Amino acid sequence: MAWQPEEEPLRQLSTCLRDSLSGHNKNAQKQAEIMLAQAKNSPDINNYLAYLFSSSQVPNGLSYSIEEYHAVRSAAAIMLKNNIRTGYKTMSPESLALVRATVPLALQDKNQLIRGYAGNVITEIISKGGILGWPQILPELLILIGNENGTATPEAQEGAMAALAKICEDNKKMLDRDYQGQRPLTFIIPKLIEFTNNPLPKVRSLALGSINVFVPQKPQALLVNLDSLLNRLFQLSQDPSSDVRRQVCRAFVQIVEIRPDKILPHIEGLVDYMLAQQKKIEDEDLACDAAEFWLTVGEHNELWKALAPYLNKIIPVLLESMVYSEDDIAMLGGGEEDAEVEDRAEDIKPAFAKSKSTRNGEIEEGGQNGGYQKLGGMEDDEDDVDEGEIEEFDDDDEEGNPEDRWNLRKCSAAALDVFATDFRGPVFDTILPYLMTHLKHEEWPYREAAVLALGAVAEGCMDVVTPHLPDLVPYLISLLKDPEPLVRQITCWTLGRYSAWGAKLTEPAAREQYFLPMMEGILLRMLDPNKRVQEAGASAFAHLEEKAGLDLAPYCEPIIGQFVKCFNKYKDRNMFILYDCVQTLAEHVGHGLAQPQLIDMLMPALIHRWNKVSDQSRELFPLLECLSYVASALAESFAPFAQPVFTRCIKIIHQNLEDYIRSVQNPNTVDTPDKDFLVTSLDLLSAIVQALDDKQSAALVSGSDPRLFDLLQFCMEDPENDVRQSSYALLGDCAKYVFPQLQPFLPTLLPLLIKQLDLDAILDEQIETGFSVVNNACWSAGEVAIQAGKHIGPYVGELLQRFLAILGNPAVPKSVLENAAIALGRLGLQNYEIMSPHLTIISEPFLRSIDGVGETSEKATACKGFALCVIHNPQGMEKDLPRYFSMIAGYQEINIGTTKTPMLADLQQIFKHTLEVYKSLIPDMNTYLTNNLSTADLHNLQKTYNL
């Protein structure tokens, strides 16, 4: 007999569900949440939830208004989805079958929110159970959307299409897997193209949006249907629905990336089309999606030149799009002096820890769109949608301050920046008349847009703008006093973009006339009465610091003086960018900061903030990061401040690890702690260990409570890549500077390091950060190998195996290969007896990877370790001997200060001894060398080693 609900449990549950969403009665809401948490353990709970959610009419025996019953159904859907997410594997087959049978009924509901909830629940079931766990749902959705039997209502078609769109978005890879010889996308993609013919605009828009989800992956099912998709796009280009045209623009942008050859023949028509859509400023989302086309094509190596004939049409539209709209001006709220107004919690942007601890080479340069990257939160984030909300691919249309979101103005400025880099002179020639008429425009929005345009072309057009800068820079400096805060704000940004020109001026008179007023003007704006201008001034000054570098050393006193005033005046939001200014100065001036008068100015301000900020505040991230750079710059002068900072970092790490363990043990009641607290604390410990002398660092490490290396063990096993990346950086630094304190813990830590070197453990979706962790693990292994000597002998076999796997993998980034080669070579310094029997498999990957490393002490120690292995087993090098001789011939001695370290003092003698060993083994050494080495290598060997 089919399951039926009992009236009393149904009444109690529905009452709790209604009350759980009641914002008016907090007591009833809290009591309802407690009751629902207890009800989760009932074996029939999901049956009741599915029944309530899928019943469009109030069930018999219950009495609710329309609004109340909608709340009951909404809460039931939310709870059902969460139960599936956390307990899918424990659901009984009968309950799961009932949920699958009833939830799709809600796709036909008259209420759009209810249809959206149904799509969310269906998607959750697919995500947890896989395609084969519910094979009927996809065909059923396709039949409903296509209205194949002619009975589907418009609501049902839209509900099914929204559900399919959500499934596509959340399960991109799953839908392109092979299931018993078939891939779901093979029949989904043609159906989606067909659905773009649907008479309902929402279905057309969602169908095309779903196709756009798959384009970047280049699935075969899409590529074979690309021509039919392009035909549909051209037909849909004049669709009356702006949502459909948005998706058309997005589709063309995505196809640029995967098949530029399909775009090139249509470039003239696409230019006209995108310009027409961008001019529809009444729909900014559509205009912005159209403007993305210029960015994508402009950054594409094969296509950007095709835009050259159309610059005179495109650039004026970009310039028009860069003027603030009346709506934007209204949202920005005019030019109030708000520096004394406290920030609201929602005004403060979330800070994310940036790990600075990738050792010996970055994995990949970041940044997109020339510095106009979309703001945090703009990226697609699976499962980041509120319960019941249907994204429907409108991830960009957030309201609020236009400065805090990616919009048409920013996109157009970014496109102009890209064009300036592509075409240079012609772009500046095109905007010059606009600049001449608008830079001094009476109406500030046009004045502001002209300054933005001038800043946008700074990097690409610097050569052609430079002759105009002696006139432009003084005028820009005067605009720093413009009565309109938004003009002062954008002027800071533009001057920051041209600060490299001022910083490179060598004539004292020119620096006095241009660079010093530029620096002084931006510094003054850091204390503007408007907080937005303060932020822009601080950001521009950080940019100037990067460009001027050590040239700022003579001006550190007034600069730090201004920073200290900012510490006293800034509210919470701008404190974050102020930390960036301090750390950028420390990074580029370095030990120049270690002067008593500068330390006496800066450190009290930082320590005051340090004492004020709680251990739970997100402001700790930039503060800890800033202190890392300051400690590195001050070196031993940081010693008076080190002990309390070190102790607090240990405390923060310990607390975070304990909170994490509690969250794992109680996932439903304890939130997972923010791991950025770990990352920034570990990085600051690294900086302190490096900065102080060995004795001071050893005292801090020995006195830590809990013990540093006990905590480090947990951090090295943390599931987050960023935490492990910083952990291995700290491990390597401790090996270099406090090895006696580290040594007793190596039996515990080295097995974790070896495990980390396993490339198979890197997840596909985290491959870049995964390689950063392996990079640091390799580096730290090399540092441990130098210090541990023969004590690392029991681990050499496993380490060797891991390093060879890394060196033999073509997907591994160059910097990781180099660090692995260095670590492998260093293993041979005192363990050559263990290493040398394996030379036949070590030599080729080592020599190939070490070849690209610059002449550093790291390379020298690795070469020495490898050379000792060779001397111990010269016959093992037979097949790679010419390459080894070539390495010796090309090796350049490095100068480390005025004297060589003991480690490297005998390296050339070892090379000479190696050559003599082979001279005794090879009957005619000269003929062998002549036949196997280049003339240059032969000359170097003869010159350096008297062969």
Side-chain angles (χ1 to χ4, degrees), residues 22-202:
S22 170
H24 305 298
N25 188 336
K26 295 295 181 187
N27 288 333
Q29 186 178 23
K30 189 168 185 179
Q31 187 62 32
E33 288 170 355
I34 294 170
M35 297 286 286
L36 290 174
Q38 294 171 349
K40 282 184 74 172
N41 299 319
S42 167
D44 282 351
I45 181 64
N46 293 321
N47 295 12
Y48 279 96
L49 293 171
Y51 177 81
L52 282 168
F53 169 57
S54 60
S55 301
S56 58
Q57 301 299 318
V58 180
N60 292 333
L62 303 183
S63 178
Y64 293 112
S65 68
I66 293 173
E67 290 78 11
E68 285 177 325
Y69 189 55
H70 175 74
V72 170
R73 296 179 72 193
S74 300
I78 292 169
M79 187 172 179
L80 180 58
K81 179 188 174 185
N82 289 337
N83 287 356
I84 292 167
R85 177 183 295 179
T86 57
Y88 178 84
K89 291 182 179 178
T90 60
M91 288 177 69
S92 70
E94 295 78 14
S95 180
L96 199 52
L98 187 140
V99 171
R100 289 180 186 141
T102 55
V103 168
L105 299 174
L107 291 173
Q108 308 184 45
D109 201 274
K110 296 290 184 186
N111 188 293
Q112 182 183 344
L113 274 176
I114 295 296
R115 299 198 299 270
Y117 286 126
N120 287 346
V121 175
I122 291 169
T123 303
E124 196 63 50
I125 295 172
I126 294 285
S127 297
K128 294 299 178 187
I131 300 293
L132 297 181
W134 194 0
Q136 309 90 345
I137 188 63
L138 289 176
E140 287 175 8
L141 291 175
L142 294 173
I143 290 169
L144 201 54
I145 300 164
N147 192 16
E148 293 181 13
N149 56 15
T151 60
T153 63
E155 291 86 359
Q157 292 179 63
E158 289 182 0
M161 186 63 245
L164 180 61
K166 185 71 177 159
I167 291 169
C168 290
E169 190 179 9
D170 287 1
N171 301 281
K172 295 188 282 284
K173 290 183 179 178
M174 187 190 296
L175 291 170
D176 197 31
R177 288 189 192 131
D178 193 293
Y179 298 94
Q180 300 166 0
Q182 288 190 318
R183 294 174 186 267
L185 276 193
T186 305
F187 61 88
I188 289 177
I189 293 289
K191 280 291 186 182
L192 288 173
I193 294 173
E194 178 188 318
F195 296 153
T196 63
N197 271 315
N198 192 288
L200 298 170
K202 193 167 213 69

Side-chain angles (χ1 to χ4, degrees), residues 788-824:
K790 290 188 179 297
H791 294 291
I792 205 173
Y795 306 97
V796 167
E798 287 183 279
L799 285 167
L800 190 56
Q801 187 179 348
R802 293 282 195 243
F803 291 140
L804 289 175
I806 292 169
L807 295 176
N809 191 319
V812 174
K814 183 172 180 283
S815 62
V816 182
L817 293 174
E818 292 177 355
N819 271 327
I822 288 169
L824 186 151

Side-chain angles (χ1 to χ4, degrees), residues 340-358:
E340 301 302 324
V341 179
E342 294 296 330
D343 291 327
R344 300 172 302 166
E346 58 266 33
D347 291 332
I348 302 169
K349 295 177 188 174
F352 301 100
K354 304 193 296 282
S355 180
K356 68 184 184 74
S357 52
T358 299

Side-chain angles (χ1 to χ4, degrees), residues 272 352 519 537 788:
D272 291 336
F352 301 100
M519 181 172 69

